[in-house]
Amino acid sequence: MDIQAKALEYWNIGHDLALNWITSPAAWSQFAVLVLAYLLAVLINRKLGKTLRALLTPSDETRPIFASAMNMALLFLPLLLPLLAYGFTAIGEQATRAAFGSGDVIAFGKRIFIFLAVKRLINSVIYSPFLKLLGKYIFIPLAAIYALGLLPTLMSFLGDTNVAIGNINFSLLAILRGVIAGSILFWLGRWSNDQSAQYIRAQDDMRVPTRELATKAVELSIFGACFLLLMSIMGINLSALAVFGGAIGVGLGFGLQKIASNFISGIILLLEGQATVGDFVELDGGESGTIVKMLSRATILETYDGKWIVVPNEDFITTRITNWSDAGSGNRYEADFSVSYDTDINKVPAIVEAAVATHPDVLDSPEKPDCELRGFGDSGIDFCVEFWVEGIDDGKNKYTSDVLFLIWNALKDNGIEIPYPHRVVEIKGSLPKT
């Protein structure tokens, strides 16, 4: 019954207000100012919009970080028309209030332009699915309530309604402010972090571990600042969070222990530079791959067959990891082969070493190719050639395969036979009659 009475009261207020606007010369004057302000905004938007688009469109020579900022600014151009209309309407409101002592109609129109700006912001500017959902169900309804002039009443109701969590009291208004401000802050924080990371990683004069460490430091700074600012907006005294200190400590001791350990291990990895992005590593369990990302909790390896392996950072500290890409050192590989027992084996090392040395990726330092006699096999004499290269013998690099081709061709050119297994079959007794 109270709801019906309240609705009827608002209906009567709206009916009287609309009737007053229709019959008032001052109201018609304000309508005229609204139309004039909108037409002027359309005219200026056409000219100013083209100029701003030309200025903000990045050229091919624009640095990536500035190009990203310019492209971001271009996204907000659809807001130019309603904001211009709002500005011209605000000027008209001052004039009508000075002339007629009233400006309710033009103030309503001004709020309508704000509603249109919010709607364009959600539909044409924001591309984050989460923010679009938030805008659809929170921002646009709030803008509509503001346009109808009911926002102060709603804010008063939300401010008077409290929710208690332990010793901390939140008003619904504080929660709403937190949701809105938090969404905007962390969206801007994510965008800022992505741009900062892109800029830092483009600095080729910095060591890779230094770049990754700087990226993590910027990320922590940005989101730490967003968190503190959000607490201030919600009106939460940070000292009140000490109540949760014991619970957080227990959580770190049990459920969050691994997360904290992996986070600290990631910082140690970046500081010490034991492994960094671009290194080819082999794990203690036998998996191997190139490090493509070093995150706060884990490191991601990409294998040569395209799979991604997510390795907790703690494993890089507590287990044995083989790093095949340590800067300034090569890797030694071996290629096994055999020759016939009829061969003069004294000639083989020189022939093979000379052939392997012709490979463009085989190094002379720390050692030149070295051919060694390994043993006397069932079918031939076993040799092995050792060689050093800069890189990993996998993926796009096939050093051992190339070396075996060189050995094959060199032995063929020198008349040296590569043996194949021979088997002697002894038949006891007489052969079966056919």
Side-chain angles (χ1 to χ4, degrees):
M1 192 64 182
D2 292 339
I3 297 177
Q4 293 178 353
K6 202 71 174 175
L8 182 60
E9 179 183 351
Y10 280 122
W11 168 260
N12 292 330
I13 293 174
H15 177 269
D16 294 340
L17 184 61
L19 186 61
N20 183 45
W21 285 359
I22 293 174
T23 58
S24 171
W28 283 102
S29 300
Q30 293 176 56
F31 277 122
V33 171
L34 279 175
V35 173
L36 181 62
Y38 180 75
L39 293 177
L40 185 60
V42 170
L43 180 62
I44 294 179
N45 177 68
R46 288 178 181 175
K47 297 184 177 295
L48 185 59
K50 291 181 180 179
T51 303
L52 290 176
R53 188 171 297 277
L55 290 174
L56 294 175
T57 301
S59 62
D60 296 336
E61 292 78 18
T62 306
R63 297 181 67 178
I65 187 170
F66 296 121
S68 298
M70 293 168 72
N71 287 328
M72 175 64 70
L74 281 173
L75 291 176
F76 288 89
L77 278 184
L79 301 181
L80 184 60
L81 176 59
L83 292 180
L84 283 173
Y86 175 84
F88 293 141
T89 304
I91 297 173
E93 181 183 9
Q94 299 298 322
T96 55
R97 288 190 183 277
F100 301 102
S102 174
D104 294 338
V105 176
I106 201 168
F108 175 73
K110 190 171 65 172
R111 295 195 298 268
I112 289 295
F113 288 135
I114 288 293
F115 171 75
L116 295 176
V118 172
K119 192 173 181 181
R120 282 200 175 191
L121 176 69
I122 302 303
N123 294 334
S124 303
V125 177
I126 293 178
Y127 54 86
S128 168
F130 173 70
L131 286 183
K132 276 189 174 293
L133 182 66
L134 200 66
K136 182 178 179 181
Y137 292 104
I138 295 182
F139 294 160
I140 292 179
L142 282 178
I145 293 172
Y146 169 75
L148 294 174
L150 301 176
L151 190 59
T153 304
L154 177 63
M155 294 294 104
S156 176
F157 170 76
L158 294 177
D160 294 337
T161 306
N162 292 326
V163 177
I165 302 178
N167 294 328
I168 302 178
N169 288 324
F170 296 96
S171 67
L172 290 180
L173 181 59
I175 295 176
L176 180 63
R177 279 204 309 258
V179 171
I180 296 175
S183 302
I184 296 174
L185 282 174
F186 284 96
W187 175 66
L188 289 174
R190 173 58 60 189
W191 179 82
S192 301
N193 179 66
D194 291 343
Q195 301 308 310
S196 301
Q198 182 180 356
Y199 176 76
I200 293 172
R201 287 173 178 148
Q203 306 305 308
D204 296 332
D205 54 337
M206 296 173 61
R207 294 177 62 247
V208 174
T210 305
R211 292 201 298 264
E212 293 298 321
L213 185 61
T215 301
K216 296 302 176 189
V218 170
E219 182 179 5
L220 289 175
S221 300
I222 289 175
F223 286 105
C226 289
F227 174 76
L228 294 177
L229 187 57
L230 178 60
M231 294 297 102
S232 176
I233 292 173
M234 293 182 65
I236 298 176
N237 188 355
L238 293 180
S239 62
L241 295 178
V243 176
F244 299 101
I248 293 176
V250 173
L252 287 175
F254 291 96
L256 301 180
Q257 182 180 9
K258 284 293 183 181
I259 295 177
S261 176
N262 286 320
F263 179 76
I264 296 173
S265 298
I267 295 176
I268 294 174
L269 282 174
L270 292 173
L271 288 174
E272 294 185 351
Q274 297 174 351
T276 187
V277 174
D279 286 357
F280 186 89
V281 297
E282 183 178 350
L283 306 179
D284 202 21
E287 302 93 343
S288 59
T290 303
I291 299 178
V292 293
K293 287 184 181 179
M294 298 188 72
L295 306 176
S296 300
R297 187 193 65 83
T299 297
I300 298 179
L301 310 183
E302 184 177 14
T303 64
Y304 281 120
D305 54 2
K307 297 183 177 67
W308 277 22
I309 304 175
V310 181
V311 184
N313 289 329
E314 185 184 13
D315 290 356
F316 280 85
I317 302 297
T318 59
T319 61
R320 184 176 61 184
I321 304 293
T322 303
N323 190 344
W324 291 84
S325 302
D326 187 20
S329 65
N331 297 314
R332 191 186 74 173
Y333 295 99
E334 297 179 353
D336 299 317
F337 65 97
S338 299
V339 298
S340 170
Y341 274 102
D342 296 332
T343 305
D344 183 358
I345 60 174
N346 296 298
K347 298 179 179 179
V348 172
I351 293 172
V352 172
E353 289 171 2
V356 175
T358 61
H359 193 286
D361 293 324
V362 172
L363 305 176
D364 292 334
S365 176
E367 293 180 8
K368 294 182 179 181
D370 180 29
C371 184
E372 300 176 353
L373 176 64
R374 288 294 174 89
F376 302 98
D378 295 336
S379 302
I381 303 173
D382 299 328
F383 283 88
C384 174
V385 61
E386 299 173 347
F387 59 94
W388 287 79
V389 292
E390 283 280 4
I392 306 300
D393 188 22
D394 202 346
K396 63 181 180 180
N397 301 320
K398 304 295 183 184
Y399 300 123
T400 303
S401 175
D402 294 343
V403 165
L404 288 174
F405 270 106
L406 292 173
I407 293 173
W408 172 274
N409 293 327
L411 295 180
K412 285 294 183 180
D413 292 342
N414 288 273
I416 298 176
E417 180 184 354
I418 297 178
Y420 53 88
H422 293 79
R423 296 290 182 265
V424 176
V425 179
E426 181 180 353
I427 300 176
K428 293 184 177 180
S430 59
L431 293 174
K433 296 180 179 180
T434 59

